[in-house]
Amino acid sequence: VQLVESGGALVQTGGSLRLSCTASGFNFDDSIIGWFRQAPGKEREAVSSLSISEGSTFYADSVKGRFSISRDVTASIVYLQMASLKPEDTATYYCAAARGLYSEYIAILTPREFDYWGQGTQVTVSS
């Protein structure tokens, strides 16, 4: 199983980035892919999740209207499009995979439900 994040960078406030999570080694079509972030000294928090088969989504209140999650099923990639970035978005962003049977609970999933994790990609938003 492998989850590989890419796309992190240093951007200015108000800028945009698109993160990618490329998955392999498990049943991608029957999974939930989540994006989490962790800033230094803070707990890991859920940012957004997507049920690959159902298309249902979750967004944290802090990113609603600014971030958008999408998928390319053919390539087994999930994207996180981030716009209007703020300094408080600065963190290491991780993607993770959970089993698709949790889809109806997508809004309340915690890191505990995610079985596989990537290594993370750094997003830094300068003020």
Side-chain angles (χ1 to χ4, degrees), residues 42-123:
K42 295 187 177 181
E43 292 188 356
R44 189 169 297 189
E45 63 170 340
V47 175
S48 182
S49 298
L50 171 65
S51 169
I52 301 301
S53 61
E54 300 185 6
S56 52
T57 59
F58 159 79
Y59 293 96
D61 287 344
S62 58
V63 306
K64 281 181 181 176
R66 301 189 298 122
F67 291 12
S68 178
I69 193 169
S70 62
R71 67 201 189 278
D72 180 340
V73 177
T74 301
S76 298
I77 299 175
V78 170
Y79 300 102
L80 184 68
Q81 181 69 49
M82 307 187 294
S84 302
L85 284 163
K86 305 173 182 180
E88 50 263 45
D89 295 317
T90 295
T92 301
Y93 284 70
Y94 301 89
C95 70
R99 289 178 289 175
L101 62 88
Y102 293 131
S103 290
E104 65 179 291
Y105 307 111
I106 195 168
I108 59 172
L109 295 179
T110 70
R112 182 179 301 180
E113 283 77 48
F114 288 80
D115 299 313
Y116 309 116
W117 291 81
Q119 293 301 307
T121 186
Q122 179 67 36
V123 172

Coordinates of all heavy atoms in Angstrom, one line a residue, residues 42-123:
K42 N 0.5 21.3 17.2 CA -0.9 21.1 17.1 C -1.3 19.7 16.8 O -0.5 19.0 16.2 CB -1.5 22.1 16.1 CG -1.4 23.6 16.5 CD -2.2 24.5 15.6 CE -2.1 25.9 16.0 NZ -2.9 26.8 15.1
E43 N -2.5 19.4 17.1 CA -3.0 18.0 16.8 C -3.3 17.9 15.3 O -3.6 18.9 14.6 CB -4.2 17.7 17.6 CG -4.0 17.5 19.0 CD -5.2 17.0 19.8 OE1 -6.3 16.8 19.1 OE2 -5.1 16.8 21.0
R44 N -3.2 16.7 14.8 CA -3.6 16.5 13.4 C -5.1 16.7 13.2 O -5.9 16.2 14.0 CB -3.2 15.1 13.0 CG -3.4 14.8 11.5 CD -2.7 13.5 11.1 NE -1.3 13.5 11.4 CZ -0.5 12.5 11.0 NH1 -0.9 11.5 10.3 NH2 0.8 12.6 11.2
E45 N -5.5 17.5 12.2 CA -6.9 17.7 12.0 C -7.4 17.4 10.6 O -6.6 17.4 9.7 CB -7.2 19.2 12.3 CG -6.5 20.2 11.3 CD -7.0 21.6 11.4 OE1 -8.1 21.8 11.9 OE2 -6.3 22.5 10.9
A46 N -8.6 16.9 10.6 CA -9.2 16.6 9.3 C -9.5 17.9 8.5 O -10.0 18.8 9.0 CB -10.5 15.8 9.5
V47 N -9.1 17.8 7.2 CA -9.4 18.9 6.3 C -10.5 18.6 5.4 O -11.5 19.4 5.2 CB -8.1 19.3 5.5 CG1 -8.4 20.4 4.5 CG2 -7.0 19.7 6.5
S48 N -10.4 17.5 4.7 CA -11.4 17.1 3.7 C -11.3 15.7 3.4 O -10.3 15.1 3.5 CB -11.2 17.9 2.4 OG -12.2 17.6 1.5
S49 N -12.5 15.1 3.1 CA -12.5 13.6 2.7 C -13.5 13.4 1.6 O -14.4 14.2 1.4 CB -13.0 12.8 3.9 OG -12.1 12.9 5.0
L50 N -13.2 12.3 0.9 CA -14.0 12.0 -0.3 C -14.2 10.5 -0.4 O -13.3 9.7 -0.3 CB -13.3 12.5 -1.6 CG -13.8 12.1 -2.9 CD1 -15.2 12.7 -3.2 CD2 -12.9 12.5 -4.0
S51 N -15.5 10.1 -0.5 CA -15.8 8.7 -0.8 C -15.6 8.5 -2.3 O -16.3 9.1 -3.1 CB -17.2 8.4 -0.3 OG -17.6 7.1 -0.8
I52 N -14.7 7.6 -2.7 CA -14.4 7.4 -4.1 C -15.6 6.9 -4.8 O -15.9 7.3 -5.9 CB -13.2 6.5 -4.2 CG1 -11.9 7.1 -3.5 CG2 -12.9 6.3 -5.7 CD1 -11.5 8.5 -4.0
S53 N -16.3 5.9 -4.3 CA -17.4 5.3 -5.0 C -18.7 6.2 -5.0 O -19.4 6.2 -6.0 CB -17.7 3.9 -4.4 OG -18.1 4.1 -3.0
E54 N -18.9 6.8 -3.8 CA -20.2 7.6 -3.7 C -20.1 9.0 -4.0 O -21.1 9.7 -4.3 CB -20.7 7.4 -2.3 CG -21.0 5.9 -1.9 CD -21.7 5.8 -0.6 OE1 -22.0 6.8 0.0 OE2 -21.9 4.7 -0.1
G55 N -18.9 9.5 -3.9 CA -18.7 11.0 -4.2 C -19.0 11.9 -3.1 O -18.9 13.1 -3.3
S56 N -19.4 11.3 -2.0 CA -19.8 12.2 -0.9 C -18.5 12.8 -0.3 O -17.4 12.2 -0.4 CB -20.5 11.4 0.2 OG -19.8 10.3 0.6
T57 N -18.6 14.0 0.2 CA -17.5 14.8 0.7 C -17.7 15.3 2.1 O -18.8 15.5 2.6 CB -17.1 15.9 -0.2 OG1 -18.3 16.8 -0.3 CG2 -16.8 15.4 -1.6
F58 N -16.5 15.7 2.7 CA -16.5 16.4 4.0 C -15.5 17.5 3.9 O -14.4 17.3 3.3 CB -16.1 15.4 5.1 CG -15.6 16.1 6.3 CD1 -16.5 16.8 7.2 CD2 -14.3 16.3 6.6 CE1 -16.0 17.4 8.3 CE2 -13.8 16.9 7.6 CZ -14.6 17.5 8.5
Y59 N -15.8 18.6 4.4 CA -14.9 19.7 4.5 C -14.9 20.3 6.0 O -16.0 20.5 6.5 CB -15.2 20.9 3.6 CG -15.1 20.5 2.1 CD1 -16.2 20.1 1.4 CD2 -13.9 20.6 1.5 CE1 -16.1 19.8 0.0 CE2 -13.7 20.3 0.2 CZ -14.8 19.9 -0.6 OH -14.7 19.6 -1.9
A60 N -13.8 20.6 6.5 CA -13.7 21.2 7.8 C -14.3 22.7 7.6 O -14.1 23.3 6.5 CB -12.3 21.3 8.3
D61 N -14.9 23.2 8.6 CA -15.5 24.5 8.6 C -14.4 25.6 8.2 O -14.7 26.5 7.4 CB -16.1 24.9 9.9 CG -17.4 24.2 10.2 OD1 -18.0 23.6 9.3 OD2 -17.8 24.2 11.4
S62 N -13.2 25.3 8.6 CA -12.1 26.3 8.3 C -11.7 26.4 6.9 O -11.1 27.4 6.5 CB -10.9 26.0 9.2 OG -10.4 24.7 8.9
V63 N -12.1 25.4 6.1 CA -11.7 25.4 4.7 C -12.9 25.5 3.7 O -12.7 25.5 2.5 CB -10.8 24.2 4.3 CG1 -9.6 24.1 5.3 CG2 -11.6 22.9 4.3
K64 N -14.1 25.4 4.2 CA -15.3 25.4 3.3 C -15.3 26.7 2.5 O -15.1 27.8 3.0 CB -16.6 25.4 4.2 CG -16.9 24.0 4.7 CD -18.2 24.0 5.5 CE -18.5 22.6 6.0 NZ -19.7 22.6 6.9
G65 N -15.6 26.5 1.2 CA -15.6 27.6 0.3 C -14.3 27.9 -0.3 O -14.2 28.7 -1.2
R66 N -13.2 27.4 0.3 CA -11.8 27.7 -0.2 C -11.1 26.5 -0.8 O -10.3 26.6 -1.7 CB -11.0 28.3 0.9 CG -11.5 29.5 1.5 CD -10.5 30.1 2.5 NE -10.2 29.3 3.6 CZ -8.9 28.8 3.9 NH1 -7.9 29.2 3.2 NH2 -8.7 28.1 5.0
F67 N -11.4 25.3 -0.2 CA -10.8 24.1 -0.7 C -11.8 23.2 -1.4 O -13.0 23.2 -1.1 CB -10.2 23.3 0.5 CG -9.0 23.9 1.2 CD1 -8.6 25.2 0.9 CD2 -8.3 23.1 2.1 CE1 -7.5 25.7 1.6 CE2 -7.2 23.7 2.7 CZ -6.8 25.0 2.5
S68 N -11.3 22.4 -2.3 CA -12.2 21.5 -3.1 C -11.5 20.2 -3.3 O -10.3 20.2 -3.7 CB -12.6 22.1 -4.4 OG -13.4 21.3 -5.2
I69 N -12.2 19.1 -3.0 CA -11.6 17.8 -3.2 C -12.2 17.1 -4.4 O -13.4 17.2 -4.7 CB -11.8 16.9 -1.9 CG1 -10.9 15.7 -1.9 CG2 -13.2 16.6 -1.7 CD1 -10.8 15.0 -0.6
S70 N -11.3 16.4 -5.1 CA -11.8 15.7 -6.3 C -11.0 14.5 -6.6 O -10.0 14.3 -5.9 CB -11.8 16.6 -7.5 OG -10.4 17.0 -7.8
R71 N -11.4 13.7 -7.5 CA -10.7 12.4 -7.8 C -10.6 12.1 -9.3 O -11.4 12.5 -10.1 CB -11.5 11.2 -7.1 CG -12.9 11.0 -7.8 CD -13.8 10.2 -6.8 NE -15.0 9.7 -7.3 CZ -16.1 10.4 -7.5 NH1 -16.1 11.7 -7.2 NH2 -17.2 9.8 -7.9
D72 N -9.6 11.4 -9.6 CA -9.4 10.8 -10.9 C -9.3 9.3 -10.7 O -8.2 8.8 -10.3 CB -8.1 11.3 -11.5 CG -7.8 10.8 -12.9 OD1 -8.4 9.7 -13.3 OD2 -7.0 11.4 -13.7
V73 N -10.4 8.6 -10.9 CA -10.5 7.2 -10.6 C -9.5 6.4 -11.4 O -8.9 5.5 -11.0 CB -11.9 6.7 -10.7 CG1 -12.0 5.2 -10.4 CG2 -12.8 7.4 -9.7
T74 N -9.4 6.8 -12.7 CA -8.6 6.1 -13.6 C -7.1 6.1 -13.2 O -6.4 5.0 -13.3 CB -8.7 6.7 -15.0 OG1 -10.0 6.7 -15.5 CG2 -7.8 5.9 -16.0
A75 N -6.7 7.2 -12.6 CA -5.3 7.3 -12.2 C -5.1 7.0 -10.7 O -4.0 7.1 -10.2 CB -4.8 8.7 -12.6
S76 N -6.2 6.8 -10.0 CA -6.1 6.6 -8.5 C -5.5 7.8 -7.8 O -4.6 7.6 -7.0 CB -5.4 5.3 -8.2 OG -6.0 4.2 -8.7
I77 N -5.9 9.0 -8.2 CA -5.4 10.2 -7.6 C -6.6 11.0 -7.0 O -7.7 11.1 -7.6 CB -4.7 11.1 -8.6 CG1 -3.5 10.3 -9.2 CG2 -4.2 12.4 -8.0 CD1 -2.8 11.1 -10.4
V78 N -6.3 11.5 -5.8 CA -7.3 12.5 -5.2 C -6.6 13.8 -5.1 O -5.4 13.9 -4.7 CB -7.7 12.0 -3.8 CG1 -8.5 13.1 -3.1 CG2 -8.6 10.8 -4.0
Y79 N -7.3 14.9 -5.5 CA -6.7 16.2 -5.5 C -7.3 17.0 -4.4 O -8.5 16.9 -4.0 CB -6.9 16.9 -6.8 CG -6.4 16.2 -8.0 CD1 -7.2 15.5 -8.9 CD2 -5.0 16.3 -8.3 CE1 -6.6 14.8 -10.0 CE2 -4.5 15.7 -9.4 CZ -5.3 14.9 -10.2 OH -4.7 14.3 -11.3
L80 N -6.6 17.9 -3.8 CA -7.1 18.9 -2.9 C -6.7 20.3 -3.5 O -5.5 20.7 -3.4 CB -6.5 18.8 -1.5 CG -7.1 19.7 -0.5 CD1 -8.6 19.4 -0.2 CD2 -6.3 19.7 0.8
Q81 N -7.7 21.0 -4.1 CA -7.5 22.3 -4.6 C -7.7 23.3 -3.5 O -8.8 23.3 -2.9 CB -8.4 22.6 -5.8 CG -8.3 23.9 -6.5 CD -7.0 24.0 -7.2 OE1 -6.6 23.2 -8.0 NE2 -6.2 25.1 -7.0
M82 N -6.7 24.1 -3.3 CA -6.7 25.0 -2.2 C -6.6 26.5 -2.7 O -5.7 26.7 -3.5 CB -5.6 24.8 -1.2 CG -5.5 23.3 -0.7 SD -4.3 23.1 0.6 CE -2.8 23.4 -0.3
A83 N -7.5 27.3 -2.4 CA -7.5 28.7 -2.8 C -7.6 29.6 -1.6 O -8.0 29.2 -0.5 CB -8.7 28.9 -3.8
S84 N -7.4 30.9 -1.9 CA -7.5 31.9 -0.8 C -6.7 31.5 0.4 O -7.3 31.6 1.5 CB -8.9 32.2 -0.5 OG -9.6 32.7 -1.7
L85 N -5.5 31.0 0.2 CA -4.8 30.4 1.3 C -4.4 31.5 2.4 O -4.2 32.7 2.0 CB -3.5 29.8 0.8 CG -3.8 28.4 0.2 CD1 -2.6 28.0 -0.7 CD2 -4.0 27.4 1.2
K86 N -4.4 31.1 3.6 CA -4.1 31.9 4.7 C -2.9 31.4 5.5 O -2.6 30.2 5.4 CB -5.3 32.0 5.7 CG -6.7 32.3 5.0 CD -7.8 32.2 6.0 CE -9.1 32.5 5.4 NZ -10.3 32.3 6.3
P87 N -2.3 32.2 6.3 CA -1.1 31.7 7.1 C -1.5 30.6 8.0 O -0.7 29.7 8.2 CB -0.7 33.0 7.8 CG -1.1 34.1 7.0 CD -2.4 33.7 6.3
E88 N -2.7 30.6 8.5 CA -3.2 29.5 9.4 C -3.4 28.2 8.6 O -3.6 27.2 9.3 CB -4.4 29.9 10.1 CG -5.5 30.4 9.2 CD -5.6 32.0 9.2 OE1 -4.5 32.6 9.1 OE2 -6.7 32.5 9.3
D89 N -3.3 28.2 7.3 CA -3.3 26.9 6.5 C -1.9 26.3 6.5 O -1.8 25.1 6.0 CB -3.8 27.2 5.1 CG -5.2 27.6 5.0 OD1 -6.0 27.1 5.8 OD2 -5.5 28.6 4.2
T90 N -0.9 26.9 7.0 CA 0.4 26.4 7.0 C 0.5 25.1 7.9 O 0.1 25.1 9.0 CB 1.4 27.4 7.6 OG1 1.5 28.5 6.7 CG2 2.8 26.8 7.7
A91 N 0.9 24.0 7.3 CA 1.0 22.7 7.9 C 1.6 21.7 7.0 O 1.8 22.0 5.8 CB -0.4 22.3 8.4
T92 N 1.9 20.5 7.6 CA 2.1 19.4 6.7 C 0.8 18.7 6.4 O 0.0 18.4 7.3 CB 3.1 18.4 7.5 OG1 4.3 19.1 7.8 CG2 3.4 17.2 6.6
Y93 N 0.6 18.5 5.2 CA -0.7 17.9 4.7 C -0.4 16.4 4.4 O 0.5 16.1 3.6 CB -1.2 18.6 3.5 CG -1.8 20.0 3.9 CD1 -1.1 21.0 4.3 CD2 -3.2 20.1 3.8 CE1 -1.6 22.2 4.6 CE2 -3.8 21.3 4.1 CZ -3.0 22.4 4.6 OH -3.6 23.6 4.9
Y94 N -1.3 15.6 4.9 CA -1.2 14.2 4.7 C -2.5 13.7 4.1 O -3.6 14.1 4.4 CB -1.1 13.4 6.1 CG 0.1 13.8 6.9 CD1 0.0 14.9 7.8 CD2 1.3 13.1 6.8 CE1 1.1 15.2 8.6 CE2 2.4 13.4 7.6 CZ 2.3 14.5 8.5 OH 3.4 14.8 9.2
C95 N -2.3 12.7 3.2 CA -3.5 12.0 2.7 C -3.5 10.6 3.3 O -2.5 10.1 3.7 CB -3.6 11.9 1.2 SG -2.4 10.9 0.4
A96 N -4.7 10.1 3.5 CA -4.9 8.8 4.2 C -6.1 8.1 3.5 O -7.0 8.7 2.9 CB -5.2 9.0 5.7
A97 N -6.1 6.8 3.7 CA -7.2 6.0 3.1 C -7.9 5.2 4.2 O -7.3 4.6 5.1 CB -6.6 5.0 2.1
A98 N -9.2 5.2 4.1 CA -10.1 4.4 5.0 C -11.0 3.5 4.1 O -11.1 3.7 2.9 CB -11.0 5.3 5.8
R99 N -11.6 2.5 4.7 CA -12.4 1.6 4.0 C -13.7 2.3 3.6 O -14.3 3.1 4.3 CB -12.7 0.4 4.9 CG -11.5 -0.5 5.0 CD -11.8 -1.7 5.9 NE -12.0 -1.3 7.3 CZ -12.3 -2.2 8.2 NH1 -12.6 -3.4 8.0 NH2 -12.4 -1.8 9.5
G100 N -14.2 1.9 2.4 CA -15.4 2.5 1.9 C -16.7 2.3 2.7 O -17.6 3.1 2.6
L101 N -16.7 1.3 3.6 CA -17.9 1.1 4.4 C -18.2 2.2 5.4 O -19.2 2.3 5.9 CB -17.7 -0.3 5.1 CG -16.6 -0.4 6.1 CD1 -17.0 0.0 7.5 CD2 -16.2 -1.9 6.2
Y102 N -17.2 3.1 5.6 CA -17.4 4.2 6.5 C -18.0 5.4 5.8 O -18.2 6.5 6.4 CB -16.1 4.7 7.1 CG -15.5 3.7 8.0 CD1 -14.1 3.3 7.9 CD2 -16.2 3.1 9.0 CE1 -13.5 2.4 8.8 CE2 -15.6 2.2 9.9 CZ -14.3 1.9 9.8 OH -13.7 1.0 10.6
S103 N -18.4 5.3 4.5 CA -18.8 6.4 3.7 C -20.0 7.2 4.3 O -20.0 8.4 4.3 CB -19.2 6.0 2.3 OG -18.1 5.6 1.6
E104 N -20.9 6.5 4.9 CA -22.1 7.3 5.5 C -21.7 8.1 6.8 O -22.4 8.9 7.2 CB -23.2 6.3 5.9 CG -22.9 5.3 7.0 CD -24.1 4.4 7.2 OE1 -25.1 5.0 7.7 OE2 -24.1 3.2 6.9
Y105 N -20.5 7.8 7.3 CA -20.0 8.5 8.4 C -18.9 9.5 8.1 O -18.1 9.9 8.9 CB -19.5 7.5 9.5 CG -20.4 6.4 9.8 CD1 -20.2 5.1 9.4 CD2 -21.6 6.7 10.5 CE1 -21.1 4.1 9.7 CE2 -22.5 5.7 10.8 CZ -22.2 4.4 10.4 OH -23.1 3.4 10.7
I106 N -18.8 9.8 6.8 CA -17.7 10.6 6.3 C -17.5 11.9 7.1 O -16.4 12.4 7.2 CB -17.8 10.9 4.8 CG1 -16.4 11.3 4.2 CG2 -18.9 11.9 4.5 CD1 -16.4 11.3 2.7
A107 N -18.6 12.5 7.6 CA -18.4 13.8 8.2 C -17.8 13.7 9.6 O -17.4 14.7 10.2 CB -19.8 14.5 8.3
I108 N -17.8 12.5 10.2 CA -17.3 12.4 11.6 C -16.1 11.4 11.7 O -15.7 11.0 12.8 CB -18.4 11.9 12.5 CG1 -19.0 10.5 12.0 CG2 -19.6 12.9 12.6 CD1 -20.0 9.9 13.0
L109 N -15.5 11.1 10.6 CA -14.3 10.2 10.7 C -13.2 10.9 11.4 O -12.9 12.1 11.2 CB -13.9 9.8 9.3 CG -14.9 8.9 8.5 CD1 -14.4 8.6 7.1 CD2 -15.2 7.6 9.3
T110 N -12.4 10.1 12.1 CA -11.3 10.6 12.8 C -10.0 9.9 12.2 O -10.2 8.9 11.4 CB -11.3 10.3 14.3 OG1 -11.2 8.9 14.5 CG2 -12.6 10.8 14.9
P111 N -8.9 10.4 12.5 CA -7.7 9.7 12.0 C -7.6 8.2 12.3 O -7.1 7.4 11.6 CB -6.5 10.4 12.7 CG -7.0 11.8 12.9 CD -8.5 11.6 13.2
R112 N -8.3 7.8 13.4 CA -8.3 6.4 13.8 C -8.9 5.5 12.7 O -8.5 4.3 12.6 CB -9.0 6.2 15.1 CG -9.0 4.8 15.7 CD -9.8 4.8 17.0 NE -9.2 5.7 18.0 CZ -9.7 5.8 19.2 NH1 -10.7 5.2 19.6 NH2 -9.1 6.6 20.0
E113 N -9.9 6.0 12.0 CA -10.5 5.2 10.9 C -9.7 5.0 9.7 O -10.1 4.2 8.8 CB -11.9 5.7 10.6 CG -13.0 5.5 11.7 CD -12.8 6.4 12.9 OE1 -12.7 7.6 12.7 OE2 -12.9 5.8 14.0
F114 N -8.7 5.7 9.5 CA -7.8 5.7 8.3 C -6.7 4.7 8.6 O -5.9 4.9 9.5 CB -7.4 7.1 8.0 CG -8.5 8.0 7.4 CD1 -9.4 8.6 8.3 CD2 -8.7 8.1 6.1 CE1 -10.4 9.3 7.8 CE2 -9.7 8.9 5.6 CZ -10.6 9.5 6.4
D115 N -6.6 3.7 7.7 CA -5.6 2.6 7.9 C -4.3 3.0 7.3 O -3.3 2.5 7.8 CB -6.2 1.4 7.2 CG -7.5 0.9 7.8 OD1 -7.6 0.9 9.1 OD2 -8.4 0.6 7.0
Y116 N -4.3 3.7 6.2 CA -3.0 4.0 5.5 C -2.7 5.5 5.4 O -3.7 6.2 5.1 CB -3.1 3.3 4.1 CG -3.5 1.9 4.1 CD1 -4.7 1.5 3.5 CD2 -2.7 0.9 4.7 CE1 -5.1 0.2 3.5 CE2 -3.1 -0.4 4.7 CZ -4.3 -0.8 4.1 OH -4.7 -2.1 4.1
W117 N -1.5 5.8 5.5 CA -1.1 7.2 5.5 C 0.1 7.5 4.5 O 1.0 6.6 4.4 CB -0.7 7.7 6.9 CG -1.9 7.7 7.8 CD1 -2.5 6.6 8.5 CD2 -2.7 8.9 8.2 NE1 -3.6 7.1 9.2 CE2 -3.7 8.4 9.0 CE3 -2.6 10.2 7.8 CZ2 -4.6 9.3 9.6 CZ3 -3.5 11.1 8.4 CH2 -4.5 10.6 9.2
G118 N 0.1 8.6 4.0 CA 1.3 9.1 3.2 C 2.3 9.8 4.1 O 2.0 9.9 5.3
Q119 N 3.4 10.2 3.5 CA 4.4 10.8 4.3 C 4.2 12.3 4.5 O 4.9 12.9 5.3 CB 5.8 10.6 3.6 CG 6.2 9.1 3.6 CD 6.3 8.5 5.0 OE1 7.0 9.1 5.8 NE2 5.6 7.4 5.3
G120 N 3.3 12.9 3.8 CA 3.1 14.3 4.0 C 3.8 15.2 3.0 O 4.8 14.9 2.4
T121 N 3.2 16.4 2.8 CA 3.8 17.4 1.9 C 3.6 18.8 2.6 O 2.5 19.0 3.2 CB 3.1 17.4 0.5 OG1 3.8 18.3 -0.3 CG2 1.6 17.8 0.5
Q122 N 4.6 19.6 2.6 CA 4.6 20.8 3.4 C 3.9 21.9 2.6 O 4.3 22.2 1.4 CB 6.0 21.2 3.8 CG 6.1 22.5 4.6 CD 5.4 22.4 5.9 OE1 5.5 21.4 6.6 NE2 4.8 23.5 6.4
V123 N 3.0 22.6 3.2 CA 2.4 23.8 2.7 C 2.7 25.0 3.6 O 2.4 24.9 4.8 CB 0.8 23.7 2.5 CG1 0.2 25.0 2.1 CG2 0.5 22.6 1.5

